Amino acid sequence: MDIAQAEDLEMEGACGGSCACSTCHVIVEDPEKYDAMPEPSDDENDMLDLAFGLTETSRLGCQVKMSKDIDGVKIRLPSMTRNLQAADFKGAKKS
């Protein structure tokens, strides 16, 4: 996420990289590079469930840590984002 924002790409990152929203949702274009990444945490998967245009290779940009294993990774941004945060659901009444 930091790299994308430093390059002026339109990645919101509403929660500041704390894995509490899905506005930094990215789609990893290369399945081999996706497989080389550490598995998403439960918190990341919970936030990805809220992401627009979820795919099999979706990740939160704020949770992708660059390494030699994924050097040259190509990602794309979904056509839109949803600014739903974990806080939006705390204390919500169940019907």
Side-chain angles (χ1 to χ4, degrees), residues 72-84:
V73 65
K74 293 182 182 177
I75 63 165
R76 68 181 164 87
L77 300 176
S79 60
M80 64 180 285
T81 61
R82 290 185 184 135
N83 192 359
L84 298 176

Side-chain angles (χ1 to χ4, degrees), residues 13-31:
C15 71
S18 64
C19 196
C21 73
S22 62
T23 60
C24 66
H25 171 219
V26 298
I27 299 164
V28 180
E29 292 288 288
D30 183 348

Side-chain angles (χ1 to χ4, degrees), residues 60-73:
L60 294 182
C62 69
Q63 299 303 298
V64 174
K65 307 298 182 221
M66 295 305 297
S67 69
K68 288 184 180 187
D69 293 336
I70 62 169
D71 186 40
V73 65

